[in-house]
Amino acid sequence: MNKIWKWLIGIFLLLTISIFAFVMIENQTVTYLPFRLLSMYDYPFIGGIIPYFLFWGSMICSIILLVLLVVVIFYPSAKHSITLEDENGKLTIQKKAIEHFVLQIVRKEPFLENPSVKVVMRKKNIKVKIQGKMRKVIAVPQQQRLLIEEVTAELRQLLGTSDKLTTQVVLEDYQETKKSNDSRRVE
């Protein structure tokens, strides 16, 4: 997770926890506790600030939660199969079948070592992500472009000439990082 997101989520959680703590302290009289907490309004320096903090903190948290609710509701859901219908019948294709189909095409390419394929399916969109270690070859950009075009053409042929369905193929190079076991766990 990105450091900026960690900071934003941490600040939001601290704000939310402090609001809940203030509400809990102020409403402790509704239940019997073996101890009694001092009201937040009785503290000398923060007693006058608490109402403003509670109001604006609640307002900010409510807006953030409403935005998150809208994002959760309208975020497209991933599917594990896609169903294509025409006048001849219905065809259901699983995500694993497409991954295996593309992997067989990619394994034929000599410039890509240890390929892996991931497919993300939405209602009208298929995104294929191909990862592998690129070998040092002179015409790699042309071969990459040809591979992407070949995979796209083969997928369109497999799925039929459906204008309702869009496909996107991404080819990424990953770098292998070797971990050294020189450091000992116990010294």
Side-chain angles (χ1 to χ4, degrees), residues 183-187:
S183 62
R184 296 180 183 175
R185 293 179 74 182
V186 179
E187 292 184 19

Side-chain angles (χ1 to χ4, degrees), residues 3-163:
K3 284 186 179 181
I4 294 173
W5 280 108
K6 284 185 179 182
W7 276 100
L8 290 175
I9 291 172
I11 290 170
F12 174 72
L13 291 175
L14 283 175
L15 181 66
T16 307
I17 288 170
S18 64
I19 290 172
F20 287 151
F22 293 145
V23 171
M24 181 181 61
I25 290 171
E26 285 305 311
N27 294 316
Q28 66 182 332
T29 58
V30 298
T31 185
Y32 174 74
L33 294 174
F35 55 89
R36 178 107 174 119
L37 300 172
L38 186 61
S39 174
M40 297 305 283
Y41 298 106
D42 294 337
Y43 289 101
F45 293 112
I46 61 171
I49 300 173
I50 294 299
Y52 295 108
F53 176 75
L54 288 175
F55 175 76
W56 289 110
S58 298
M59 180 72 74
I60 291 170
C61 288
S62 298
I63 291 171
I64 291 172
L65 290 174
L66 281 174
V67 168
L68 286 175
L69 179 66
V70 169
V71 167
V72 166
I73 288 173
F74 292 111
Y75 192 78
S77 61
K79 294 187 173 196
H80 296 289
S81 66
I82 192 163
T83 303
L84 303 172
E85 295 183 35
D86 64 356
E87 61 274 355
N88 296 332
K90 191 182 344 179
L91 174 66
T92 301
I93 301 174
Q94 298 290 324
K95 176 178 150 181
K96 288 288 185 183
I98 293 176
E99 286 177 353
H100 186 70
F101 178 76
V102 173
L103 187 61
Q104 294 305 317
I105 296 170
V106 172
R107 282 187 179 160
K108 296 176 188 174
E109 294 299 325
F111 72 93
L112 196 58
E113 188 177 314
N114 296 330
S116 67
V117 176
K118 292 184 181 177
V119 174
V120 177
M121 300 173 84
R122 304 263 188 247
K123 188 173 183 179
K124 295 182 181 179
N125 187 10
I126 297 176
K127 183 175 182 179
V128 178
K129 186 176 180 182
I130 303 169
Q131 288 183 331
K133 185 170 178 3
M134 302 287 180
R135 291 187 177 144
K136 306 258 188 228
V137 180
I138 295 173
V140 169
Q142 292 85 10
Q143 289 179 342
Q144 289 176 355
R145 183 178 44 78
L146 289 174
L147 177 63
I148 290 172
E149 289 173 0
E150 179 185 0
V151 169
T152 305
E154 292 289 332
L155 277 175
R156 288 191 187 272
Q157 182 181 1
L158 174 70
L159 301 174
T161 57
S162 176
D163 295 332

